[in-house]
Amino acid sequence: MKKTMKCMVVAFVMLIVAMGVQAQNSVLSSGDWYKIAVEQTGIHQITYDDLVSYGIDPGQINPKQIRLYGNGNGMLPEANDAFRYDDLQENAIFVSGEDDGVFDPGDYVLFYGEGPTDWKLNEETGLFEHRVNLYSDFTFYFLNFDLGDGKRIEKQNLSTAAPTYTSFALQDYYYHELELENLIHSGKQWVGDRFDNVLEYSFEIDFPNLITTAPVNFATSVLARSSLASHFSFTINASEVLSLTCASVSGVIYSDYAKNRTGSVNFFADTGFLNLSISYEKPNDTAVGWLDYLVFNASRLNIFENGQMLFRDVGSIGEGKVTQFQVTTNNSNIDIWNITNPINPSLIEYEYSGGKAKFTLETDSLL
């Protein structure tokens, strides 16, 4: 699986739920299917050579009949009455070189694929929160070539109304959460980096074109098992921004195996390069600490340089709002996809002038 380096992605803070008629049988019940694993969210590319590596003869494919199915990322809801798709959904994709009816070397497929971790906006805090998939390190998509013409990405109609808001910025996020140990060998809580023989870990996080006048939010969760209270210190670019103390554990059979502490802080940075150091002050030889997760929310200028970039602006959402999005870039030949609905992304047409790609959309509601 390869990531394309030719596209940009735009994500508005809206969720569209497609309610469909209940399927009578699974789409997988007939035809030939090929399962693809996706680890990271973004635009992915399937080339001629990729198909060959899957054991597929591209010469036997009608490219117009290439179909891709998948339901996005995240775990299935635990509540019985929560919405879920009852079958795999066909995704809108882009196929280069399909008009001649032959999938040649140089032809390729582009699709928007989501990694296993999902992100949701907390409307009360205005911060994005992540949820790691407890059951899979990948999200899976399915290719088919024998069910007729496939769904293709269509161009989206832009708003002709006068903009009420101009978006120059995006909200970005980063997380680190390793699922390495289950402390009581039961339940769903797993922890990551272990503070025992190693008492300090460092992380390098880069937010290009950081807006230095806007606060960066840092949140974390740690655990410790110790007969004495123990402390974690969090330093970013040589300045301590947060200190957390985990209470002691009694060690009796029905007590907590380890004590958990969470914390968050807003801080200002004069650079988008953040060097985070986490140190654990071990109060005795038997004390052990763990990092559960860390997450950053930051605001960046909407500047596209290369590769691909996911962007969203929570400030664009509001009743009656019409937003003109402006992306600063030296490249006048970029693709912008609206992945508000990840099953049915659309292609955004834009105007390019003065080093900016501009387009206007109604952004009045969070559906």
Side-chain angles (χ1 to χ4, degrees), residues 193-358:
D193 306 85
R194 182 185 179 99
F195 295 82
D196 189 2
N197 296 324
V198 176
L199 298 180
E200 183 172 344
Y201 289 91
S202 296
F203 304 88
E204 294 181 349
I205 301 97
D206 188 18
F207 290 109
N209 307 303
L210 180 75
I211 299 176
T212 57
T213 56
V216 177
N217 180 268
F218 169 67
T220 187
S221 174
V222 293
L223 299 91
R225 177 173 172 81
S226 172
S227 60
L228 300 171
S230 53
H231 309 278
F232 290 85
S233 176
F234 301 84
T235 300
I236 297 177
N237 294 350
S239 296
E240 185 178 73
V241 297
L242 184 65
S243 178
L244 295 176
T245 298
C246 292
S248 61
V249 297
S250 65
V252 300
I253 189 170
Y254 294 115
S255 67
D256 293 335
Y257 182 86
K259 293 294 186 179
N260 172 245
R261 279 296 306 275
T262 61
S264 65
V265 63
N266 288 334
F267 67 94
F268 291 89
D270 56 9
T271 174
F273 184 79
L274 306 178
N275 193 330
L276 168 65
S277 177
I278 306 174
S279 60
Y280 176 57
E281 299 175 19
K282 194 171 182 174
N284 54 42
D285 290 340
T286 60
V288 182
W290 296 270
L291 174 65
D292 184 7
Y293 65 81
L294 60 89
V295 59
F296 286 88
N297 276 256
S299 297
R300 295 167 44 194
L301 291 173
N302 208 353
I303 299 175
F304 174 69
E305 294 173 344
N306 53 60
Q308 56 180 284
M309 180 178 74
L310 184 74
F311 68 98
R312 80 288 302 157
D313 184 357
V314 297
S316 68
I317 303 300
E319 185 176 355
K321 274 193 173 181
V322 178
T323 300
Q324 182 186 78
F325 293 89
Q326 297 191 7
V327 181
T328 300
T329 177
N330 292 326
N331 188 347
S332 61
N333 189 31
I334 59 175
D335 288 333
I336 302 177
W337 289 22
N338 179 358
I339 50 87
T340 300
N341 181 348
I343 304 296
N344 291 298
S346 56
L347 184 64
I348 298 290
E349 293 188 308
Y350 58 88
E351 296 179 357
Y352 182 82
S353 63
K356 295 182 183 295
K358 304 177 183 179

Side-chain angles (χ1 to χ4, degrees), residues 122-182:
N122 184 323
E123 295 184 57
E124 293 184 1
T125 64
L127 300 174
F128 285 91
E129 299 173 347
H130 77 287
R131 183 179 63 165
V132 171
N133 192 319
L134 299 176
Y135 309 108
S136 178
D137 294 328
F138 303 95
T139 301
F140 294 97
Y141 292 84
F142 297 82
L143 276 173
N144 175 271
F145 312 106
D146 55 14
L147 292 179
D149 288 355
K151 183 187 292 186
R152 298 295 179 258
I153 289 178
E154 298 180 352
K155 294 179 180 179
Q156 180 170 351
N157 294 326
L158 302 183
S159 175
T160 58
T164 61
Y165 176 82
T166 302
S167 175
F168 301 96
L170 64 97
Q171 282 71 55
D172 202 359
Y173 41 68
Y174 168 90
Y175 85 98
H176 172 84
E177 181 173 357
L178 301 179
E179 308 289 76
L180 301 178
E181 293 185 61
N182 184 294

